[in-house]
Amino acid sequence: MKNLSSKEVVKDILNKSGFKFSKSLGQNFLIDDSVLDSIVYGAELCDEDYVLEIGPGFGTLTQKLCKNAKKVVAVEIDKTAIPILEENLKEFDNVKIINDDVLKLDLQKLCDEEFEGKSFKVVANLPYYITTPIVMALLENSLNISMLVVMVQKEVALRFSAKPNKKDYGAITLSVDYYCDTEMVCDVPPHCFMPPPKVTSSVIKFIVRDEKKVSPKDEKLFFNVIKAAFGMRRKTLLNALSNSGSINLSKDEINSTLEECSIDPRRRGETLDIFEFCTLSDKIFEKISKK
């Protein structure tokens, strides 16, 4: 089996295949064994696990996943990487390679067919230019996912896992917190990739809850309130919500609603936790419903 974490081996593959890294697809292949082992360890894999990998590239991580899991489905968008991937994984009979865009796939159908309807884990070195859309698509589609362990840009990982009153805390933090707990696994410097990116990366774990963290009366309104609160980050909650255009209450009504929730109208969105946002959105829902 080829040692795909060796720069020399990867260079040899590049020379023989004529493969070119695509900037538009965000291709930076991980070639550091210790980081690969950290990802596998963080995913807590056992021989009964089903795994979805997104963006396998040449299969460096895929090899390790196949050694530790029951079955791996690897979705690769770049058709020029498929022959190389198939060659590098030919000794494994527990992997299926799919050449497609993961955001265009019927993931529910795929997972039902490939994972027998059972829970699965997502383990991947995600393309940085579409990290958030992929993560949110996986979480929002009610798939039977127990855990995600993914490589992302460090600043994105910090936004995913931030706490209230921190500069990285925002709407995406609360969207993730709604579905799962997060845990930082490790940071990864640029030299661990080929070609090296210009930023530091991080491996982050998302542990999906059996039940969502809060149960708002109107989920769409709940996220609209969050979006409005962070849409004008420097403004107070009162002004941000009043000027958003997505909440059908007057400024005076919003002011009284905040006070009824024991939330100072002068506070900013970044100071509220998910429970306060739920309480606020429920109270707004009640007032709108009475109109």
Side-chain angles (χ1 to χ4, degrees):
M1 184 174 67
K2 294 178 181 178
N3 178 14
L4 298 176
S5 59
S6 164
K7 285 186 178 181
E8 289 69 28
V9 170
V10 175
K11 287 178 181 178
D12 184 57
I13 292 173
L14 293 172
N15 290 333
K16 290 180 178 178
S17 66
F19 181 89
K20 302 292 184 184
F21 291 108
S22 171
K23 287 186 178 180
S24 65
L25 295 178
Q27 289 178 329
N28 302 95
F29 295 171
L30 184 61
I31 54 168
D32 186 285
D33 258 327
S34 64
V35 178
L36 290 162
D37 290 339
S38 292
I39 294 173
V40 173
Y41 180 78
E44 303 173 33
L45 293 179
C46 71
D47 57 13
E48 292 300 312
D49 280 331
Y50 293 98
V51 176
L52 172 65
E53 184 187 9
I54 300 164
F58 287 173
T60 312
L61 176 58
T62 323
Q63 287 182 340
K64 291 184 179 287
L65 297 176
C66 288
K67 289 179 181 179
N68 289 276
K70 181 174 184 177
K71 182 177 182 179
V72 178
V73 173
V75 179
E76 174 56 57
I77 192 172
D78 187 356
K79 65 181 180 180
T80 64
I82 298 299
I84 302 169
L85 191 57
E86 291 173 339
E87 172 64 23
N88 290 340
L89 300 175
K90 63 183 179 181
E91 68 180 78
F92 296 103
D93 60 6
N94 63 336
V95 62
K96 179 167 184 176
I97 300 168
I98 297 175
N99 178 207
D100 211 329
D101 181 344
V102 71
L103 291 175
K104 295 180 180 178
L105 280 174
D106 184 338
L107 289 173
Q108 186 65 66
K109 180 180 178 182
L110 171 69
C111 298
D112 285 345
E113 292 176 350
E114 300 298 335
F115 301 146
E116 303 174 3
K118 296 180 181 178
S119 69
F120 64 97
K121 296 176 179 179
V122 177
V123 186
N125 174 19
L126 294 178
Y128 292 174
Y129 74 105
I130 51 169
T131 294
T132 299
I134 290 176
V135 169
M136 293 316 301
L138 292 167
L139 294 178
E140 291 173 348
N141 284 329
S142 300
L143 302 171
N144 197 8
I145 300 173
S146 61
M147 182 186 298
L148 297 86
V149 179
V150 295
M151 177 90 69
V152 300
Q153 192 171 330
K154 183 175 181 177
E155 67 179 51
V156 176
L158 292 174
R159 288 201 292 270
F160 282 148
S161 59
K163 303 298 181 185
N165 287 304
K166 300 297 183 182
K167 67 174 184 176
D168 298 304
Y169 186 70
I172 189 61
T173 315
L174 288 152
S175 296
V176 168
D177 192 30
Y178 185 61
Y179 296 99
C180 52
D181 294 315
T182 57
E183 179 183 318
M184 299 294 281
V185 176
C186 64
D187 288 339
V188 186
H191 70 258
C192 295
F193 298 86
M194 181 182 286
K198 296 180 179 179
V199 296
T200 297
S201 307
S202 294
V203 179
I204 184 171
K205 179 191 297 189
F206 302 81
I207 304 166
V208 182
R209 302 189 194 91
D210 293 332
E211 295 182 2
K212 294 166 185 174
K213 195 166 187 176
V214 292
S215 301
K217 294 178 179 179
D218 185 315
E219 187 177 89
K220 183 178 179 181
L221 176 61
F222 170 68
F223 283 111
N224 279 343
V225 171
I226 290 172
K227 183 178 179 181
F230 288 98
M232 291 174 277
R233 198 176 182 103
R234 291 182 175 274
K235 291 187 177 294
T236 63
L237 270 171
L238 176 59
N239 288 331
L241 299 179
S242 300
N243 296 325
S244 71
S246 63
I247 299 171
N248 190 25
L249 292 177
S250 68
K251 187 170 184 176
D252 286 342
E253 288 172 323
I254 291 173
N255 186 72
S256 63
T257 302
L258 287 163
E259 291 178 344
E260 288 170 29
C261 295
S262 300
I263 298 172
D264 189 331
R266 295 169 296 179
R267 287 174 65 182
R268 290 181 170 80
E270 65 203 55
T271 69
L272 272 65
D273 63 24
I274 195 169
F275 301 104
E276 290 176 300
F277 271 114
C278 187
T279 298
L280 177 58
S281 71
D282 283 353
K283 184 62 70 173
I284 291 173
F285 174 77
E286 290 173 8
K287 291 199 172 185
I288 292 175
S289 298
K290 291 178 181 178
K291 284 195 168 187

